[in-house]
Amino acid sequence: MQLSENAKKYLLEASKWANFIAIFGFIIIGLLVIMSFSISSIMAGLPEGSLGGLSPRFFSFFYLIAAGIYFIPVFFLFQFGQKTRQAILEDDHNLLAFGLKKLKSHYKFIGILFIVFTVFYLFLILFGAFGALFLG
C-alpha cells in the first residue's frame, strides 16, 4: 500500500495535533497530581460533616486515580503523534504501523472507558429511582 502525498500531509497534520493535545493532557495530569497532594490540606479546614462523611484522603486518592486513568490514553495519543510524524518524515512503514496501533489503543481505551462510565451512570440512575420509590 502506498500513501499519497495528501494522505501523508493529513497524517502529519494529525500527528501535530495529537502531540499538542497529548502535551496539554500531560500538563493536566501534572495539575491533577499536584491537586491530589494539596486537596487534603485544603479540605481539612472545612467544617466537620461538610464532606458528607468522606475523608479528605479520599479526595486525594480520587485525584491520583483520575490522573492515572487519564495518563493511559494521553500516552497512547502522544506515541501516535511522535511515531506517525517520524514515520512520515523518514518514510518508514513499520513506524507508521506502530503509530496507528497506538491510535487504535487510544480509541479502544476511550471506548472501554465510555462503556464503563455509561454503565456506572445507569446504575446510579436506577439506584436513585428505586431509592426514591421505596424510601420516599
Side-chain angles (χ1 to χ4, degrees):
M1 177 174 82
Q2 297 292 323
L3 293 176
S4 69
E5 288 306 312
N6 276 342
K8 289 179 183 180
K9 182 179 83 168
Y10 297 146
L11 280 171
L12 191 59
E13 187 174 343
S15 72
K16 289 177 184 178
W17 280 106
N19 282 331
F20 171 76
I21 294 168
I23 289 169
F24 190 72
F26 287 135
I27 292 169
I28 298 297
I29 291 166
L31 292 174
L32 283 171
V33 170
I34 291 169
M35 188 63 143
S36 75
F37 291 122
S38 60
I39 194 75
S40 61
S41 61
I42 292 169
M43 294 184 133
L46 293 175
E48 188 68 32
S50 64
L51 299 176
L54 295 174
S55 166
R57 288 185 183 160
F58 168 79
F59 293 99
S60 293
F61 182 70
F62 176 79
Y63 277 101
L64 277 177
I65 294 297
I69 291 171
Y70 191 49
F71 176 81
I72 296 167
V74 169
F75 185 65
F76 286 149
L77 191 62
F78 181 75
Q79 286 183 313
F80 161 73
Q82 291 292 326
K83 297 303 179 185
T84 301
R85 181 178 185 277
Q86 187 179 356
I88 297 300
L89 295 177
E90 296 176 10
D91 200 31
D92 187 333
H93 293 275
N94 291 327
L95 277 177
L96 181 59
F98 182 80
L100 292 174
K101 177 182 175 187
K102 294 304 173 181
L103 183 63
K104 180 220 41 126
S105 298
H106 168 79
Y107 281 115
K108 184 176 180 179
F109 187 87
I110 295 295
I112 291 169
L113 202 60
F114 177 78
I115 291 167
V116 167
F117 277 104
T118 300
V119 169
F120 176 73
Y121 281 119
L122 287 175
F123 277 126
L124 282 180
I125 291 168
L126 288 174
F127 182 72
F130 284 125
L133 286 174
F134 295 114
L135 300 176

